[in-house]
Amino acid sequence: MLLMLQRFKEILKSAYNYNEALEREKLSQENVNLLREKLKSSKIVPQSLVDKQLLLFLNACKSDVEKSAVLIENYYKIKRSSPEFFQNRNVESDEIQNCLKNQYYVSLPTTPDNNMLIFHSLKNFDPNSYNFDSAAKTYIMTTEAYTFNHGPRAGVIYLFDLKGLSYRFLFKPSISSMRKGIKFLEEGIPFEIKQVHVFNTVRFFNLIVAIVKPLLNSELLQKLHLHNENINYEEFYKNFVPKTHLPREYGGLLKSVEELHQQNCQNLTNLKDYFIYEEQQTKLDFDQYVDEFLEEMNKI
């Protein structure tokens, strides 16, 4: 275990700049300390969470310590009840490599108004190449890699492209997985969802909405923006995301989706040890030296 902790220390050195994030998001170390004290009685939240991890939740709740504690509890409850999304997150596994081979997962530059920007679409249009649980796991890992590298932000904007989606894809996710995924979006993610954009809405998209709508709360539905194939991109750039932050397939000034996807694949590979450690963090008993561990880690 000590070797694992030493390795995590090395991993943390490449994470986002903590002091810069405190200042940028107008957060305080005092509230981080209060949140840590609040969580000491938790039977679910790992006591080994470092300040860089706690700060994400505090920022998502706009420095409200009480709400942050609830959010972290929800996050780890959902992780426990959703092993299909949060366990076996070895980037080099056949499961995740299959996702990276058949779908696009892209982290785009932080927007001018300080929001994370995450893109996802199909690469292979064969439904047999797609597994919903594995895709959700890989997508969550992409967002976690973003926050590991860039720290807390004002929120997140999700971009999905439905090009290539057919009826057969509708039978891929189970109702249970859909419920768990939506519950995570609504109650567990350590950032605020600002907007969700869906490009190339297919003819049967109303059916998709009908299936998902009963599972979504009204607040999330209000953030959903649908765009058909005749989208006015100039209006999109003006109202939502500037072309400087989009792949060239969408009239943007960035590299192609394929090139950006490959960059994310490399980033996920670079963080292989982090994902393995983060999964183990919920299982290890740190009681005998957690204070010493945190004192050392939080200096990084």
Side-chain angles (χ1 to χ4, degrees), residues 33-45:
N33 296 339
L34 288 173
L35 178 57
R36 183 177 299 284
E37 285 298 315
K38 184 76 176 176
L39 294 170
K40 281 189 174 179
S41 60
S42 175
K43 303 299 182 182
I44 296 175
V45 179

Side-chain angles (χ1 to χ4, degrees), residues 102-104 121-125 130 161 163-165 169:
N102 292 291
Q103 298 107 46
Y104 291 118
S121 69
L122 295 173
K123 183 177 183 180
N124 185 338
F125 299 162
Y130 183 82
D161 191 338
K163 183 179 180 181
L165 193 73
F169 280 93

Side-chain angles (χ1 to χ4, degrees), residues 87-272:
Q87 289 185 13
N88 303 317
R89 302 202 303 171
N90 186 335
V91 177
E92 296 178 350
S93 68
D94 290 343
E95 175 191 11
I96 294 175
Q97 286 298 309
N98 183 67
C99 289
L100 297 176
K101 177 182 177 181
N102 292 291
Q103 298 107 46
Y104 291 118
Y105 302 83
V106 175
S107 296
L108 296 166
T110 305
T111 65
D113 53 353
N114 194 34
N115 287 306
M116 300 164 51
L117 195 56
I118 307 293
F119 172 89
H120 178 53
S121 69
L122 295 173
K123 183 177 183 180
N124 185 338
F125 299 162
D126 180 359
N128 293 323
S129 70
Y130 183 82
N131 179 285
F132 177 82
D133 291 349
S134 300
K137 179 190 297 186
T138 308
Y139 191 79
I140 292 170
M141 290 171 67
T142 295
T143 61
E144 287 186 20
Y146 196 110
T147 55
F148 179 92
N149 290 322
H150 302 287
R153 297 287 163 174
V156 62
I157 297 174
Y158 292 130
L159 306 176
F160 298 96
D161 191 338
L162 299 188
K163 183 179 180 181
L165 193 73
S166 64
Y167 275 109
R168 291 172 61 196
F169 280 93
L170 299 184
F171 300 100
K172 287 297 179 176
S174 66
I175 295 296
S176 173
S177 291
M178 289 177 62
R179 288 184 184 278
K180 288 180 179 180
I182 291 171
K183 184 178 179 65
F184 179 62
L185 286 176
E186 294 180 341
E187 301 179 17
I189 60 172
F191 31 79
E192 179 183 353
I193 298 176
K194 296 289 188 176
Q195 302 162 22
V196 179
H197 293 276
V198 182
F199 299 108
N200 290 308
T201 51
V202 291
R203 295 177 183 176
F204 55 89
F205 192 76
N206 287 340
L207 177 58
I208 298 176
V209 173
I211 295 172
V212 175
K213 190 173 182 179
L215 307 177
L216 293 172
N217 63 34
S218 58
E219 183 180 349
L220 193 53
L221 279 172
Q222 291 172 2
K223 298 176 180 179
L224 181 64
H225 301 270
L226 308 180
H227 310 281
N228 60 32
E229 59 185 8
N230 298 316
I231 179 177
N232 183 330
Y233 275 109
E234 292 303 323
E235 288 295 315
F236 183 81
Y237 306 146
K238 178 181 177 181
N239 297 324
F240 301 116
V241 181
K243 66 192 306 181
T244 52
H245 287 63
L246 291 168
R248 63 182 182 217
E249 288 91 338
Y250 301 86
L253 303 181
L254 299 178
K255 297 178 181 179
S256 68
V257 169
E258 175 65 35
E259 291 173 291
L260 295 169
H261 170 70
Q262 291 303 324
Q263 288 179 6
N264 184 55
C265 291
Q266 185 59 57
N267 187 35
L268 292 176
T269 299
N270 293 343
L271 292 176
K272 173 188 173 182

